[in-house]
Amino acid sequence: MLSRTADHLFWMSRYTERTENTARMLDVNYQTSLLPQSTAVAQVGWQGLLSISELLPAYKEQHDEVTPRQVMEFMIKDEDNPSSIISCLRAARENARAVRGTLTTEVWETQNQTWLEVNRMLKNGDFERDPGQFFEWVKFRSHLSRGVTVGTMLMDESLHFMRLGTFLERADNTARLVDVKFHAVQSDFLGTASEKDQEYDFYHWSAILRSVSGFEIYRKVYRDVIKPERVAELLILRPDMPRSLHASLNEVVSNLAMVGNEQSLETQRRAGKLRADLKYGRIDEILATGLHAYLTQFLDRVNELGAHISRDFLVPAAA
């Protein structure tokens, strides 16, 4: 396969997944903001969302203070923000258009229709009328895109590069989410939570789980009250949790193996080593050595893995 074609397919899927992840985080912050809480606590939540995406400096160039409305406008409609929902959907559509002949009609029409529809919805003020419904629509379109891709594409290199993009992006996002959100609530780990803190923490952890569609899964797996160490275990180490780091790396490794060649042996080794650390890791050891340090290192390794994949298979990035 031409590296340019692989590049477009890879980034089409990454941008689609990034759109969904952004919608999930915004939805959780929006739903949490409806709970009784102080202005300071609410602001920490919105600031944390910008930190997850490393967009706080870019946001502060445009705005003097962090407010829910301005953050949502920045993360949804700002075309100058490359990680906004509108920017990601445009990038996904442009990458799809560049390899129109490689995609099935259903995959192309799904991407194109999503782009046309989101422009109509934002122009008509659908987001302002019901933010929650808008976020559900974004998630649904991502699910639809993924389902149509798996259901209609030939199981060849094209599909494998698309899956690589999806799960590399998912691993990156889940790690950022866990890192930032665990910093926001420390009382559980310190063992000094008051009754009021514990009540707030319950909603906080519930929101984190719902942001990755993990609330019902947690209940099914652990059958217990929500505990932060188990939330971390579910989102980092469980291979049967679809959005966990372990599950994402399983997909990255298997799809890399399908497109691998002699040139990519080092990339496959790095991916396999990262997956092995998740497969044989234990949450008590991770928490004992420091969750933030662990996730920071994980993000560095995922970014390096992405750079190696680009070097081996995709169009070289401009210097």
Side-chain angles (χ1 to χ4, degrees), residues 213-280:
S213 299
F215 185 76
E216 292 83 2
I217 292 174
Y218 182 96
R219 292 295 198 196
K220 185 175 182 179
V221 170
Y222 296 107
R223 300 179 183 277
D224 197 359
V225 296
I226 298 175
K227 298 179 179 179
E229 64 271 17
R230 287 184 169 173
V231 174
E233 181 180 59
L234 184 72
L235 300 186
I236 295 171
L237 299 178
R238 291 283 304 201
D240 49 359
M241 166 62 187
R243 305 190 78 83
S244 73
L245 304 187
H246 190 171
S248 298
L249 261 294
N250 280 345
E251 290 286 344
V252 169
V253 168
S254 61
N255 283 283
L256 257 181
M258 300 302 288
V259 298
N261 52 44
E262 289 184 6
Q263 181 179 315
S264 65
L265 290 176
E266 174 60 18
T267 303
Q268 290 175 257
R269 187 192 70 82
R270 285 171 178 262
K273 191 169 185 294
L274 185 52
R275 195 261 301 266
D277 288 346
L278 293 165
K279 183 176 181 179
Y280 298 108

Side-chain angles (χ1 to χ4, degrees), residues 27-46:
D27 192 27
V28 165
N29 270 52
Y30 171 68
Q31 299 295 342
T32 305
S33 71
L34 301 178
L35 298 170
Q37 58 183 319
S38 68
T39 305
V41 169
Q43 186 170 14
V44 167
W46 290 106

Side-chain angles (χ1 to χ4, degrees), residues 4-17 87-116 141 145-146 148-149 153 158 162:
R4 188 169 297 280
T5 301
D7 190 72
H8 286 303
L9 294 168
F10 178 84
W11 283 103
M12 179 191 80
S13 295
R14 281 203 78 155
Y15 281 120
T16 301
E17 179 71 19
S87 294
C88 287
L89 287 178
R90 181 179 63 239
R93 192 254 186 187
E94 288 304 306
N95 277 288
R97 188 171 63 85
V99 287
R100 172 70 186 83
T102 306
L103 305 174
T104 60
T105 300
E106 290 89 342
V107 172
W108 161 247
E109 287 184 349
T110 300
Q111 289 286 351
N112 193 45
Q113 185 63 34
T114 299
W115 169 243
L116 297 174
R141 295 304 296 188
S145 174
R146 210 159 40 243
V148 167
T149 297
M153 290 286 290
S158 296
M162 292 164 76

Side-chain angles (χ1 to χ4, degrees), residues 170-309:
R170 185 175 295 183
D172 179 274
N173 186 265
T174 300
R176 292 179 189 278
L177 175 74
V178 174
D179 190 24
V180 172
K181 291 299 184 182
F182 268 70
H183 264 61
V185 175
Q186 297 291 336
S187 56
D188 283 330
F189 291 109
L190 298 174
T192 57
S194 67
E195 188 174 330
K196 186 176 180 182
D197 285 339
Q198 289 173 353
E199 184 179 339
Y200 170 73
D201 289 353
F202 170 81
Y203 289 111
H204 178 88
W205 300 120
S206 299
I208 293 173
L209 288 169
R210 286 196 170 94
S211 73
V212 291
S213 299
F215 185 76
E216 292 83 2
I217 292 174
Y218 182 96
R219 292 295 198 196
K220 185 175 182 179
V221 170
Y222 296 107
R223 300 179 183 277
D224 197 359
V225 296
I226 298 175
K227 298 179 179 179
E229 64 271 17
R230 287 184 169 173
V231 174
E233 181 180 59
L234 184 72
L235 300 186
I236 295 171
L237 299 178
R238 291 283 304 201
D240 49 359
M241 166 62 187
R243 305 190 78 83
S244 73
L245 304 187
H246 190 171
S248 298
L249 261 294
N250 280 345
E251 290 286 344
V252 169
V253 168
S254 61
N255 283 283
L256 257 181
M258 300 302 288
V259 298
N261 52 44
E262 289 184 6
Q263 181 179 315
S264 65
L265 290 176
E266 174 60 18
T267 303
Q268 290 175 257
R269 187 192 70 82
R270 285 171 178 262
K273 191 169 185 294
L274 185 52
R275 195 261 301 266
D277 288 346
L278 293 165
K279 183 176 181 179
Y280 298 108
R282 285 175 45 178
I283 196 61
D284 55 338
E285 293 175 349
I286 292 173
L287 293 176
T289 55
L291 185 65
H292 176 65
Y294 177 88
L295 291 170
T296 300
Q297 185 185 54
F298 177 87
L299 282 167
D300 288 342
R301 293 171 71 184
V302 164
N303 289 333
E304 285 177 10
L305 185 57
H308 277 264
I309 290 172

